[in-house]
Amino acid sequence: MIINNTLNTAQIQAIKYTTGPCLVIAGAGSGKTRVITHKIAYLIEQGFSAKNIAAITFTNKAANEMQERLSKLINKNDLKQLTVCTFHALGLKILRQEAEYIGFKPNFSIFSSEDVYSVLQEILSTTDKSLIKSIAHCIGNYKNNLYTPDMALNNAHSDIEIQACKIYPIYLQTLKAYQAVDFDDLIKLPCELLNNNNQLQIKWQNKLRYILVDEYQDTNLCQYNLLKLLVGNPLEKMPLFTAVGDDDQAIYGWRGASSDNLKKLSQDFKALQVIKLEQNYRSSNNILKAANTLIKNNTKIFDKQLWSEHGSGDEVCVYAMNDEEHEAEGIIFRISAHRFERKTAWEDYAILYRSNYQSRVLEQILRRENISYTLSGGQSFFEKAEIKDICAYLRLIYNTNDDPAFIRAATTPKKGIGSTTLTKLGEFAGTRKASLFDACFMSMLEDVINSQNLFSLRDFVSFINDLSDKAKTEPADILLKELMNYMCYESYLYDTFDEKTARNKWENVTEFILWLKSKGTNSTKLEQDISFENQDNLGNKSKNLIELTQMIALMTILQGKDKQNSGIQLSTLHAAKGLEFSHVFLMGIEEGILPFDNGEKQSDIEEERRLMYVGVTRAKKSLHLSWCKQRKKGGQKTSIDPSRFLSEMNMNPLEKEKINPKVYLDMMKEMLL
DNA sequence: GAAAATAGCTTTTTT
DNA sequence: AGCTATTTTC
């Protein structure tokens, strides 16, 4: 029996309601992941087949975590059959299977934002970075709001929007020609597909009979649309799903998420059962009181009041510091002293801030004091140039129409193919509506490109062609070896970078190749999910290069590479969502930083308040808030006001800092020696 | 005139 | 820390 007395009444209610649409308003620290995982186990217990249940998350990290926790509740076989993935991975799965219905080959490529950027650069033939970015942003909006080019034009206001509308259809054509989709397409295209093809819609509805959505407040219009298409029309049948979310933690409005989707849910599904989880298992009550008082200032969709059985705990404190350096030293001093006093570990402390650059001062001082720390966020493994270089080859082998991959692979490392050759090739291919790759095989090309460059070009494409053929049958590790042999990537690195960077980059590459090879031999659940065939292969059949390449596009977290969470945790407020720490220091609680103020356009104060709320509710045992009276701006010091959120929380922002942190930091060091 | 150094400035981030 | 604009240097 999966339901036991460690669950509270509301949680049990949320788990047991399986006969209709369900919305769980899950306050911070109220055990929301627990409810989702237990509900899945309960559904299986009640006779749902695991292969008909899907749990949808927003990040790969969350999906992995969910699987991890499920592995303790349900048996291996069921876990294997479950769909636990991100919205995008689900969309991809649908698209790979149904590609033919929208005029794509199943081996279409997935373009990253960088690829999208270069495509737009090409279309617009400009180098104006901000223009390209704004257009990309507009097009992303159109897709997320399911605008057709015509609808977009009707809603266009500024010059940039009008220009974006003109580009939009061209952009769509270009991607089609490349046999590529962008990230937004992974949701948008399945929506269009299921909307236009009733049979397919029924097919997928039958496959995914029960859907659970995590972080529902972060869905955008398009994602909500996909959900609706998958659960079916409430007038025809009883939709079966559970959406779990918290309107107070909606902090991604700026990228299209709309917590209004919570409201829409009760309008669109009259039978919706709303269950609130208000008991908090994380924080002591002083922290919760601060959080509740703060968030009361927002207009709410669902009212809720967090409480816990953990007693009142430590007082929440505020420190007014002189400037950013004083603040950083003050925080680090306090952590040192606190740790010494309470015999806690560095890992128990987190310093959270609004913007990445605020970590700089902290890092300087932490390095100076030799205190270990972990900076969350930063560049992901797959964003590194050296990994993208390798991926460009893999992508090209996989889909030879992928022009951005062609350009990257043809030019890195240098192999006698330069910008002149590429421009000529581009023009040649453009007039013949062929991909760069196919154009290389055309005989007319001899009139356009001089023989030496043409030789390099044909040498390159024949190699890719050869590998592309072999990739269908031969095992991945042999082909990878051949590829690396051809690329001479190591010597390229040592030729172009200084020794230290080259060594570092080469290490990343070897790590990547090793990882790829390991994926080639043991396939895990996630990959089977992403892979569009062989759902039911049980053996350890090693993956060929084609299959491997498919999954790379969506993998952003290197699974084997657990980042060590040692030392003080430094993180932005956004990146800290979903995490918890014993002792939390929120810095820069100032007007201009939190709430953020960009001078020009008014930022959404309610969203900023929710961001503060997210920060406050990360703390389990103690919470420390700090702000600077002065900050360096353009060479001179400017005076700063404490954040309005401090007074909203009934905190006195002017509590005096009586000690000089620097002196005490030195004293602590002596004590510890 | 081009490369190198330096000063100034950052919203938030995932797929 | 990384990116850009500007200044300095050869």
Side-chain angles (χ1 to χ4, degrees), chain A residues 62-73:
Chain A
N64 290 334
E65 218 172 277
M66 192 82 78
Q67 296 228 32
E68 187 60 37
R69 297 203 25 193
L70 276 164
S71 70
K72 286 164 194 149
L73 291 179

Side-chain angles (χ1 to χ4, degrees), chain A residues 230-263:
Chain A
L230 287 171
V231 300
N233 186 340
L235 300 174
E236 288 164 21
K237 63 165 198 174
M238 190 53 122
L240 298 182
F241 67 86
T242 298
V244 182
D246 181 1
D247 46 330
D248 291 334
Q249 290 186 76
I251 53 173
Y252 287 108
W254 52 274
R255 66 175 194 207
S258 156
S259 54
D260 268 359
N261 284 342
L262 286 163
K263 246 188 271 176

